[in-house]
Structure formats: structure tokens, C-alpha cells
Amino acid sequence: MHLARHCRHSQRPSAAGTRSRQTGLSSTVALLLLVSLPLAAAEQATLVERDYVMAPAAPAQQSRAAAMDKSHGCLSCHERTDQPTMHANPGVVLGCTDCHGGDAGVVHASPGRGHDDAAYREALAAAHVLPRDTAYWDPLSSANPVGSYARLNREHPAFIRFINPGDLRVARDACGACHLPIIQAQERSLMSTSAMLWGGAAYNNGILPYKRYILGEAYLPDGTAATIKNPLQVDDALFHAKGILDQLYPLPAWETVPPADVFRVFERGGRVINSIFPEVGLPNVTGQLQRLDEPGRPDLKQSNRGPGTGNRVAVPVINLTKTRLNDPHLWFLGTNDNPGDYRSSGCTACHTVYANDRDPLHAGGYARFGNRGHSRSVDPTIPREEAGHPLRHEFTRAIPSSQCMVCHMHQPNIYLNSYYGYIQSDYEADAPYLWPEQQKYPTDADIRAINERNPEEAAIRGKWSDADYLADIAALNPQLQDTQFADYHGHGWVFRAVFKRNRKGALLNARGDIVADDDPHKFDKAVHLASIHMERGMHCVDCHFSQDTHGNGHIYGEVASAIEIDCADCHGTATRYPNLRTSGPAAAPGGRDLSLLTTQDGRKRFEWRDGALYQRSALHADREWQLSLVRDSVNKSHPEYNAKAARAKLMAAGKAGRSGQWGPGVEAMAHGDDKMLCYTCHLSWTTSCGGCHLPIQANWKTDRKHYEGGETRNYATYNVQVARSDVFQLGRHGPAKGNLIAPIRSSSALVLSSQNANRERIYIQQPPIAASGYSSQAFAPHYPHTERKEETKTCTDCHVSAANDNNAIMAQLLLQGTNFVNFIGGYAMLGEQRHIEGVAVSELDEPQAVIGSYLQRHAYPDFHAAHLARERQLPEAHRHRTRGAARCVQLRGEYFFVAEGEGGFRVYDTASIANKGVSQRIVSAPFSPLGHDSHVASRNATCMALPTNQPIAPDRNTGTLMREVNLEQPVHPIYHYAFISDAEEGLIVVDVDTFADGEPRNNFLSRAATWNADGVLDGASHIVLGGHYAYLTTPRGVVIVDVDDPLAPRRVASVPLPGARASALQFRYLYVTAADGLHVIDVTEVARPVLLPARVELADARRVYLARTYAYVAAGRDGLVIVDIEQAEHPRIYQRFDAGGTLDDANDVVVGSTNASLFAYVADGVNGLKVIQLTAPDTQPRFYGFSPEPKPQLIAERKTASPALALSKGLDRDRAVDETGGQIAVFGRIGSRPFTAAEMARMYTDPEGRVWTVSDEVRDEDYVPRDQP
Amino acid sequence: MNSSSRRMAPPGKLAHFCRVSPARIALLAAGLVCAAWMPPAMSQPTLPHQSPHRTIGTVNCASSTCHGSVAPWAGGTILRNEYSTWLREDKHTRAYAVLDNAVSRRMVRNLGLSGPASAAKICLDCHAHNPPQDLRGPRFVQSEGIGCEGCHGPAEIWIGPHTDAGATTENNVANGMYPSHRPRDLARLCLSCHFGDDTRMVTHRLMGAGHPRLSFELKTFTTLAPAHYAIDADYVRRKGNYDPVRLWAIGQAIAAQLQLDTLTDPERGRAGLFPELVVFDCHACHRPMSAARWSPRLGIGPGRVRLDDSHLLMLRAIVRAVEPDQAAAFEADVAAVHAAIAGDSPGHGAAALQRVAQLSRRIAAYPSRWEQTAFPPTVQRRILGELVEQALSASYADYAGAEQAYMAIVTLANDLVANGALRNSAALQGALAALLASLADDEAYRPQPFNRELAQLRELIAAEVES
């Protein structure tokens, strides 16, 4: 068959060269066709050379006698089995060796004797096909070994066929006579290629500039890497419309992939620090040519050999190769080490079931067989108590979700956990059950063993690294206070249940009533937010039929594009009943006829009876359910009528809708299926992975888990720091999904760290930059599978509420961010009277607990005790002198942007702040002052603002590749610049792109523009950007300046407000501190700002920080004042916090999240840095709320070098677009994006710009019957 | 009303079918080669519901690579989507499901059955494949209605060998597969439910309880089912020649014979004092008293219950065209039966049964003869002519006869068109549509409009037929 594997590379390709920014595919091909990496000689020596005989392919037809000849000897030991042909169908006539190979002529002479019998073993060795690597594959056991991964690629296909005829390397031989088209499709499917992960990771992290992904996993039978082709020639139009790809190449070896990042260690010029890797042909191998650092300027560059050598590699590629993420996928066996990890490879991976989960909603009838991978086969040779065997020797189409979950439990491959109502646990919920009482000090051997089972670094310190503890951790549920744990643990992870809560975090029951925090049965009473489909007893295969699982033969790069089923296919729409034809992006023309589908036992899956549609369970012969039909739910005369559903679905578009009219008589519908996806409203919650930390350590010798395998140095653990369930955001899907409005989630944004061979932290917690130049704080449309009938999104989740209590919700919804989940990281960065300073505030190992916090107390009890013994003083800080008072500071990437008064504007290099090999951790000139000048002089730089604190590289986002192939929006011009307020000079604009180009020799700054028309900015003290509007405070009030053309600023409006000091923006409101307290300005119409009458009286309000529904005011001697701004126009003081009188000169405050907890960091002029834990599981049981009430407690502090004036905001993790529609962060999925400014405005203002509001109340007077004109 | 039932033709109504399929044209070509095919002598095969073999379940046939493909495969001797065709379009899939509908529930009440219809043997025997408990395999699902094994026979023995590379139809039949490719056996199979046989019967009592009126015509119903096979060269090679007119003719003979045999059966033919009324024409009694609709055509006078003679009417046309020398004897036998049933012949009951048995014996000889008879266009035209001419003798005074005539005319006309022996296909379609319209409602049937349309058709055919 010519459709697959056109192009067979006889050798494993790998890559070299610089990071590819070329626009042509041909250049990429060239990148990928290079040297092969031979296995180390020592490893090859362990492989036994044998003469393998590949059995003939299994025939489609044969006589029963012929088949029996191929089973004869096998049956002498395997006396009986479950389904001899694996198929329940007696029409399938196969012998054992048809599928497995081996020698059926060998008959065991002395049946009844076991493994110890010499004759038995001799017969076994003669009959079976034996491995090359006998040390790894136990010839006496058929159990899948633990963590086999790429070891399959070193075995002869005859052996692979023997242990698993369904493996894709050999399935054409074993299954191809009857199932060839499915095998061909499966080889190209996402479940085999992993293209969505590799393509997304490569694009989002700047490794490859192709949204038309080019990487994917495939092998030839002998284990060599293969390129796979789509049978169709795919042009741009087809790619955009259908999301299909033309071909996929193997992943290059990580050692040869140049760094994509612009971190300082990757820059050119390293002379002193040679590569400490064994490299061949290295000139100057001993570094004799130049051994001395320049005085005061340690040489950080890692190898003088250039990109793709030594440590100058792309860290995410190491991850893809070596750290277990989604993988293994279908080309490899499951890891068979944790409950939820037991499975085979290829066809067998899904069609034979293993015991993985004891919850019947997850595992159906298989739940009773436990979660330890034990078999129930009647074959007498299969041990019943050994992990790694399938339940039975039989194929099934009744595949339980628990089998899907083995792979689909991770962010990039749909995160099936949310279907179950689970999310990865965050180490804080029920921490006493996750962490040992005595701090663990794992040995290197412990760490290696644990991280092979579970890539989380935190696991090495936690109790769940114990396999048996983990396997039964769900048994603790009755004792737990904060959450409930799941019973499956793929990758060794712990998952927690998500419950219905109000915005403050209180648990709610089905009626919406609060369940008391101390109710011992609270988790029985609160609604567990699993999919309504799962509650009905549905499994994945009840919606995702043959094509969704096997693929349709095209190569896809995005999961959603590869799906043929759509909600409407079974539920219909508000205007039509379902036609039972698939209509998703991957559906064939006209769709698949679902009425033809049958269950495994032959019952029709879908059936209309008396006007109702029923579906029969794929897993349970006796179970069926009636489908909700949308058209009935909006029909007043139907028994299934639901007024809330009808109102939402039949809400009028345009003016009528803004006035609340709804009903079948409306002219056009606001929420029609031509505008939005069903699940945009019908989800109950979605995951948000605001940040994963990948710390690479050079000293770990670890296996490559793909391709040629083998051990190399380097390993990166995988640490989900911010898996949240409280974030709901909207944007636009790509053309393959009709450009419809879709829920958007933060998707696997990364921060990277690295330790070299000397364990020097050569960069820490650095977010990469996407290939499109946007921030890599990635977002993507996502279907979370958490659909419910009652707990859906309502009007006030997406539109301004009549009570005007959802300003923060709107800011989050539109992806403008809420400053709540911001990432502060290892160092709090301060501006001071005469210094800038970075204070170490968290552990740098995982979990990166804030020092003194609840998490530190549990994960690092010894360190916590030491911290208490130090009277909570933080021991480590690094500083640099400034030329003036540093009143505004911002960390972006490895650079620290500072407005330092008479010292002007300066950008410091903080790349080495955690590097023990560097004495001066913060530097102003990494080279000589002549080679680098990141200073712009000004008379009195009072403040500065960057349009985003996420690292960006706007210059990458140009050209036809980005515009026409990748369908990226242009970056707004403001993103090239920093905007500085100067009390004497006004607004100064400086182009700072040079820090994002990876070129160290051009880091010179100069003014691009200076503006102070009519002196309106005289005395300017503070600046905040909201898109292309700058809000500056002067002693006279607030001045709003439009920097749409950054080089020609234009005053838009002024708001008189004597004594204005600083401001902060949240969606429609600007909160301003002034001499008399905190004020609110309505900036819905920026050109017509309205100073509202409300005011919070404060004697000395200095800076203000808005985090969701609270404003945190650094209020001088009053300390930290927390103001409730849920009612945006009616702020009220929630609490004053002065840390027992030790916080009495508060100048600035920022808020950030670490794991599940919220922290405030306060810069106090007299007292230095104060770290305040705002929520913790033991102080605020409602900590999972959107905005729980803060319970501040001082947990750490440090006296600063000089009076602390300012703090750097943490990395925005929920901000993808600015207030004027400028995109900041990368969006996965071709053609998807955040809303434009106009689209955002339509959600809450009419064409004249006036705000309209909604309520969730159903009112009869708004109903428009069908016959109304 | 839901979408799936909307897509189906309303039950009990005849769909208009006159499309000429490519398969049929292929058949014609093959037919020339295989015209000399002779059926082997054979004994009467065991009907599926009486098979001694185990039923293993339709699911075993439904694999996507066997018979459950959504679309037909190119190449090979089978379409591979047989199961999908059955599941998607064949009403036999609904046979079980209707046992739960309002009509069935009413019947259960009227019959005084203790459980639901889906648990009653009397219903299940025809509304499902209903083998004895000990002959049901673990994957047998009764609710699927009349599944594969309900017609093709329990598969316990034949399913394995039938996938062999060298499997033949003869081997399959020898292993217990029912020979549904033989018209005579097919007719017997279908009629064993669509009329009834000695083990199961839709009696007048069931009709009285609310069972919808039954009608059956082998050729039409196998086409409407729809066929899940293609009559192509390999079909003819493996299963013999296929002639739709022959199928129709043999179906008529078997149906008539079954009807007559029921009447003579001392068990089935009696219901207390009365004969089993289901073999009589429904509308002989079931019509308003005021409807003065008696016709003298049978020569038995008014006020007498008359046999449902729809199949006999068809046979008359066939015999006249195919065996003209037998026509007089046949017609005499038919007239004698009518007269005897009406009580016009001496001897009353016993004599009448003798007449009936005599006619049955006569008809019983037809299928084996007709299996070896060619039905070329000339013969078909003759039959068509006879069918049309019967209108002149007021033969279609009753609905059942008219209905059979329509189905026969469609079959013949289609085949003539396919053979190029009728050319004005469009006009023909129009005439057939009008004919069908006059049959829209059996309760309101009047022979005059039907005869009128028939007359129109006659002119059209006369003008069209090449002499």
C-alpha cells in the first residue's frame, strides 16, 4: 500500500545549525537529515545476536485445520486462553503463530511442570522468540516490563511481534490482512505521532517557526525513525481549513538542536568556560588559549563551539526526548509502573484492557479487577498477581475510559482528568498526607528511581513517590480536609477532585447552597464537577468512535481538528434535532451515520423511540440513556423545557439582546451555533496550566525515551506549578473550528531553569519566547469535557452584571489578566532608595515553596524550622547600587528594567542571580561599558512601564510565514518599547527590542521619543499601560496619553485629582492613590474618563495593586490595606494589616501565587521586604475560590540595603491580550487568537460605547414568541 | 416525529420503485451466458427457526471488515456492507422494537397476554429470531429483530468455514446456512412469517387483536428490503441465474400454495366452528354495510365470504402466458375452489377441501417447472398483458388483488425497461405512480380508478411494445 511511509530514512536523522527562522520547508528538511548517533559500544555489547525468523503475515482466510497447526505446540503449555484468536468472532480463523510468530511445532514433553523444569525452559526457549536484550526483557515473563520506552527499537521485529503482535512496527503483518487501512491511519494519527505536543512545544518555545507542524514520531519495523506523509498534498488553504499536515519528520536528537532561547548563557563569546562535555575534534580542548576571566565579568558562555553543542541546546527538546510528558505514545508500551500506566503498544494499547482504576465510572466493569495491572486470564502460564499483564487475551471495543486515561492525563493531549472532574494536585491541598513528617533527603539513587516513575521533582520529597502509598492514596479520602484524591496515578501523579464553589471559594451543593467548611460530609454534599456524561455512565468510546481513535488517514497537528464528533450530532441545536451525522472538523463529507453504530454486543448505539433519542452504552450491555435534545429544552410546550437554557440559547442578538429579549421569535440569536461552540457555556470549569517548571540538570545520566534510546547526560524534571481550576477565559478558535468563540485555557506555559555540570544555576525560571515573538505563556482554545446541565457558565460570567460585581471576572474572561496567579519566582526583585535588590523568597528546588509558607512547613520541615529559628529572616539577597531612587522596577526575562530618578532609566542583567559561581549576581554591564550600554539618561525618571512583563521578541513576528501560513496577528508597535515617566521631561520612549534578539553586541539604548506637550506631565510620578493608553499620575491628577503611535504620543484626557500618586488598571476601572486615599476612575470610554464619587479614605496611600476582587494598597504607616473591590464602583476596606506593627512604611505591594496559595510582597521603607501569605489551606479552607478572602500572615522578611521603594510585578500568567486588543502571548491552534478590541467591546458596550448589563434572572416579559412580528 | 422515522417509508404502504440498477444490467449480460443453469435436485431445507444449530448472534457478522463496513468494498465476492444495509434500511431491524409500541401494547391487552409482547412467544416467533433457549449463544441479542441468522440460519457450524478461501455456497448450505438464494426456498422462508407456516401463523384472532393487515410479494419485498447483495457476475457464478420475474412467479405459487394448504390443514384451517378467516379476503367483510360493492366476478353470488384470491389472480396471468395449455385446467380448478368454498358445489365442507387440495397440488408443481423456465421479454409482455387485461374482467374488485397486480406490473415493467423492451420509461413511471396513488388506502379502495389507470397503462404499453 503506497499511502504510508513513503520516505524511509535508513538512519536516524538529527539536526544541526542555528535556530531556524527560514520560511521555506526545504530549509527545514535540510536541517533534519544529518548524522546518526551510534549507540555506545558498551550498550551494544549487551545485545545478543540471533537469527530471527519473521513469521509469514497472518492470512485473511484459512481453514481451521491450518490454524490449528499453528497453535499445536503453544497449547501444550498455554493449555487454554480467553479468546484464542483474540477476536470473539468465530469467523476469525487464526493460529497462535499467525499473530505471534514463534514455533508452534515445539511441544512441551512434560506438561504440568513449571518454569524450574529444565525441559520446560528448553521448550520455551525453542518455541518463543527471544529478545536481543536478555538482561532487560525477561524471557520467562510475558508481563510488560517497567519503562521499556525506546528499548523496543533495539529489538528485532520478530520479537516485538512475539510479545505484542499489535505493535505498530509489526501490526501490518499480524493484523494487516484484514485491518490494513486502520493500521495506516493509526500510524499517522496523533496518538502515534504526538505531533500536537511536539509541534506546539516547538512553536510556543521558539524552537521551530512552523505552526504547520513538522515533527512527529514514527518508526519502521526495525525501529529506525521514519518520516510519514499525508496521502494528500496539503496546501495552505487545506491546512487552514482542516488542520491537516503534509508530512512529519523525526525529532532531531536533543544534543544537536541549538537553543531557541535568548538567555545570556546561549549568547556568543564564551572563551573561558569550555565545554565540559566529551566532544571530539574540539580545538583548544584544554582552554589554554585564554583562561582568565575579565576582572569582574565572569564568562558565562557555555562552550566556545557554538550552538547545538555542550549546554547550548534547546531545553524543551531534552524534555520531549527524556522526560515523560504525554508519552509513551502508541509506538511504545505503557510504563507499567503506576496504577493508570498499564497498557501495551499499538493496536493492543487500546483494544486489550488492563486493570488501572477501581472507580466504575472510569473503568466500568473492569473496575473490580483493581488498579495494579493484574491479569484475569485463564491461561495457566500467566501469573495472576504480577503487574503488567492484560486482563484477558481478548480484544474489545468496549474500552473503558481508564484505558484512555493512561495517555490522556496530561495538558497537551486533552487532559481527560477534567472529564472525571479531577486536576493535578498542587502539593498544598491536604499537604499532611502528601509530605512525610520528617524531611526527606533522597539519595541520588532514590531520586533517579523516583523520577523514572514520576518526572515531578517534588515527588522525591513526597510520600507519593512510594508506589504502594500512591496506589492506595484514594483510600485516605474520608480523612481529607481540602480535597479528594483520584484512584489512578498515571506518571505517578496525584489528582484532586474539583468541586462546585462560589467565587469566594465556598463549597456549593446542587441547589447552590453553601456547604459548611467543617461539615464532615462536605465532599458528599458538594457537587463534584465531573462531566454530566461521565455521571450518566458514559466512557470516552461512547462519543469517540472508530475514526476519532484511529484517525482518518490524514496527518493532523491539533487534537481538536482530528475529531469528527460534535455536540450537535447527538444533541441537535436550538433550531433542529440531531441528524446523527458527524459534523466535526475531521468528519467525512456528509458525516458518519451514527445510527449505524453498534455496541460490541451488536446493539444499535443510537435509536429514536417515540420522539426521544436513546444511546446504548458501549461498555454496559444493559445500560442506555436518553439524550438531552436542545430543541426540546427551549420549547415551552415540551416537558424537557428549561427556562434558563431557553433564555441563553434563544437570547436575541444586537439591540434586542442587549435589552434582554429572548425567545423563538427573535430575529437573530446572540449565542447561535454559528457564533460559539456549545461547550463555551456548557463547561463547568476548565484547567489552566499557568506554568510548568522544567529545571534541567546536566549531571543526570538518563535514558532517551524515544528513537535510538541510550543514555546521555541531562535530565529535566517536570513540575506543574500552577494547575488551576478557577480560570475561565474566552477567545476565538481557528478556521478548522469555524473561528467560533471558544473557551481558552492557559496551556502549558513553561519556565526553564538549568544547572551546569558544576551545579551552577546558569539560568532560572526563564520563560521562553514563542517563534511568533509573542510570549510563550501559551494559551489555546480547549474543550475541557466538564460539561454539565446546571453548573454551566451564565450571563454574568461573560457580560457586565447589573450589580457590577464582576469587573475582575471580565478582566479574566477577556484574557486581560487579574494579577492574581502572577509568578514571583525565586527572587522578589526590589527597587530601593540607592539600590536594586533581589531577595531569595522561595526554595529553588521543587516544590518551590515560598520560605516560611504553609507549603515549606510541610515539604521542607527542617528548612522551615531553621527559618523560624532565624526569626523568619530571609538569608539571601543580591543587590546593585543605583544612581538614584529606584521607584519603579520590572523584571522581564533575565533583565531588570529600572527607573532610578536622576539616574534615568537603566536595564540591569540579572541572569546570574542564582549562580553560585558568580560573585556579582546583578550587573549593569556584562561586557565593558563600551560594549554594552543599557542606560538612558534623564533628569528624574520617576517610573517606567513595559507593555508586558512577559518576554517577547516583536521582530520575529513578521513575514509571510507568520502572516499567511501561521495566521498570526501583527504585534502592536508599543511592544518594542519601554515607557518612562520623568517628573521633569514627561514621557520618554525607549526601544528595548535589543534584549530579545540573542545578540549581545548591540545592547545600546537611546531615546526614541520624548513627549510632554504643554507640560501636562510636569511632575509625573507614575505610569501604567493599558494597551496603547498610558495612565500617568501628576500632582494635578491623571493624564491619559495614547501611544498607539509610540513615537507620537497624544493626550486623550486628563482627570483632575490633586495629589495623585499611582494607579492600577483592571478592565473598566483605574484605581488611583492620592493624598486623600484611593479613588476610582471609570475608563470604559478612555477618552471620557469619569472620576467616581466613591473614595476609600487613607492617610498615606502610596501604591496600589489589583488582584481579582481586592485592591492591595501600600498605605505608608497604615501598612497593607486590603480593599474589597468586588463592587468596582464601591470599594470598601476589607482589612488593614501591619504585621504586628512591623509594617509601617509601606511603599509598594505586589501579589503572586505559588502553587495553591496567594502571597503579598510588600516593600517597606523602614522595614524592608515583608512576605505575607494571604491564603493557605489551614487559614482559608476556601482557597480554591476565584477570589477567596485573604487571611494575611507575615511569614518572612528581610531588611533591605536601603529603604525599599518598589517591587517588580510577577510574571503575568493569565494575560494574553492588552486592553486595546494587542496580543501578547502565543496562541496554539492555527488561526486562533484572543478577541480584538472591537470584539471585547461588543461583550459589554453598545455601538455608541455605552455599557449594557445582564442578569441571570429569567423574566417572562422578555420572552418573544415565534409569531410576534 | 423524529428524524429517523421520517426517513423511512410509512409502514404498510408500498413505495414506488422503478429504478433500474446497474446490477440488473450486469445480470442481463451474465444471464445470456448462464441461461442454461439448472438447479440441482434438492430436499426441502430446514427453516432457520427450526434449525438444530446454535444461534451465535448478528454481532459476529457485523465486523467492519466482514459484513459491517459502512460503504461497500471494491472487489471480492461480497459487498461487505450487508450488515450496515440491513441495520440502516431493512425494516427487519425494527421487527422487535415495534413490540413495544402502542399497537403492540394494545394487542397484548386484547389477547390477554400476561407479559409484554417482547416476552410472548406468539409475537417473538416472527418479530425476532426466536430460537430455543438452549440454542442461543452468549452473544445472541434478540432485540436486534430479524438478524442475519433469522434468515441465513444459525451460524454455529457454518461461520468458521464460510470465511475459508475456498468456501462455496454449496458448502455453506451443507453446514447449515439457509439457501436463501433459491427462489423457492426464499419464498418459503419469507412466507413462513409474512403469511405463516405450520409453526407460526398470523391468525384472524391476531388480526382482530389489532395486528396490521399483511401483504407480501416476494420480488417486491426483497427489492424493498432492500437487497444487501449485488446481482453481478460472481453472484451468478456462485448462486445461479437471477430473474426477477421468475422470482415473482415462484413467490406467487408458493404463497398461493401456503394459503390453500392452511385452509386444508385440520389444525390451522379451523378456528372453532369457523374456518381460519385470515385466508379470506379481508374486505369481503371489513367494509361499511352501505358500500354496495359486490362483484359477480367469482361467480359465487353475493353475500358469500370469498377466498383472498390475489395470488391466484397472479397465477392465472402467469399460467396463461407461460403454460397456455394448462390455463383452462387451472382456471377451472380455481373456479371450483371458489364455488366450493361458497357452498355452490355438492358435498359442502369435505368436497370443498378436496377442491382446495387439488388446486394446491396443481400449483405445487409450478415452482420446480418455473425454475427451469426462461422468462424472456416476450413472455414478460404476455404476462403483463394478461395482468392488464384482468382489469376488464373486474378481477381487481378487491384491494388485495389490485395490490398484487400493481407490484407485479412494476416488476415486469422494470424488467422490460431494463431489457430495452419498453422504451418510454418516463411516461411509464408516471402511469405507475398514478396506479400506486389509486392504492393509497386499502380501506378506501375502489376498483374503478384503479382500472382506469390500468387502462391508461395498457394504451401506453401497447404503443410502446415492439412487436
Side-chain angles (χ1 to χ4, degrees), chain A residues 61-64 88-91 93 178-179 578 581 592-593 595-596 598 600-604 607-609 611, chain B residues 2-4 7 56 59-60 63 65 70 73 83-84 87-88 94 139 141 143-144 159-161 163-165:
Chain A
Q61 298 171 315
Q62 65 184 322
S63 72
R64 303 199 148 200
N89 187 340
V93 182
C178 294
H179 303 287
R581 293 270 177 173
R592 175 183 308 279
D593 184 353
S595 67
L596 285 181
T598 56
Q600 166 143 292
D601 57 359
R603 291 169 164 83
K604 281 179 112 163
E607 197 166 52
W608 286 97
R609 297 203 293 268
Chain B
N2 62 51
S3 69
S4 73
R7 285 211 316 275
I56 60 173
V59 63
N60 293 297
S63 303
T65 53
V70 171
W73 288 22
Y83 170 80
S84 302
L87 189 69
R88 191 187 336 222
R94 301 283 303 155
R139 301 220 290 168
V141 175
S143 62
E144 70 196 14
I159 187 166
T163 63
D164 285 1

Side-chain angles (χ1 to χ4, degrees), chain B residues 240-445:
Chain B
N241 199 357
Y242 173 90
D243 182 333
V245 178
R246 178 191 292 133
L247 186 63
W248 166 73
I250 292 175
Q252 291 298 337
I254 304 279
Q257 190 193 343
L258 264 174
Q259 180 195 20
L260 297 173
D261 291 350
T262 300
L263 199 53
T264 56
D265 185 328
E267 291 290 322
R268 290 184 293 147
R270 295 286 174 276
L273 191 59
F274 289 89
E276 171 50 61
L277 292 173
V278 84
V279 301
F280 294 87
D281 188 89
C282 304
H283 301 101
C285 302
H286 293 282
R287 62 181 192 197
M289 298 282 281
S290 58
R293 282 266 307 277
W294 173 76
S295 154
R297 67 180 177 96
L298 298 177
I300 55 172
R304 283 161 156 177
V305 179
R306 58 186 178 271
L307 195 67
D308 173 359
D309 69 337
S310 55
H311 300 303
L312 297 176
L313 281 174
M314 299 302 107
L315 285 177
R316 184 173 74 168
I318 299 166
V319 173
R320 283 188 169 196
V322 178
E323 308 182 8
D325 52 327
Q326 298 279 320
F330 171 79
E331 286 166 36
D333 277 358
V334 171
V337 164
H338 282 308
I341 288 172
D344 286 351
S345 62
H348 293 291
L353 291 177
Q354 281 174 17
R355 293 292 189 194
V356 171
Q358 182 181 329
L359 179 58
S360 173
R361 278 194 300 278
R362 177 180 293 284
I363 293 171
Y366 292 157
S368 53
R369 285 216 296 277
W370 292 349
E371 275 171 352
Q372 297 166 59
T373 303
F375 290 81
T378 50
V379 174
Q380 292 183 22
R381 275 202 299 272
R382 276 210 298 277
I383 302 174
L384 185 57
E386 292 291 345
L387 286 170
V388 173
E389 292 308 315
Q390 287 190 143
L392 300 179
S393 55
S395 295
Y396 305 130
D398 290 314
Y399 181 82
E403 185 187 40
Q404 286 291 339
Y406 167 75
M407 291 190 278
I409 289 165
V410 169
T411 294
L412 289 159
N414 274 341
D415 212 51
L416 287 167
V417 168
N419 282 293
L422 269 180
R423 282 193 299 203
N424 193 349
S425 171
L428 192 63
Q429 299 306 320
L432 292 173
L435 198 58
L436 178 63
S438 66
L439 291 170
D441 181 358
D442 64 308
E443 305 281 345
Y445 173 74

Side-chain angles (χ1 to χ4, degrees), chain B residues 209-231:
Chain B
H211 196 285
R213 177 180 163 271
L214 286 180
S215 69
F216 185 76
E217 194 281 286
L218 184 59
K219 165 63 186 60
T220 302
F221 277 46
T222 49
T223 303
L224 285 183
H228 49 239
Y229 46 86
I231 312 290

Side-chain angles (χ1 to χ4, degrees), chain A residues 5 174 178 302 359-360 489 740 836 903 955 962 971 1054 1085 1222 1252:
Chain A
R5 306 204 215 183
C178 294
Q302 291 295 307
D359 187 331
H489 306 287
L740 300 179
I836 52 170
D955 287 342
M962 287 298 158
V971 176
S1054 296
E1085 290 181 85
W1252 51 273

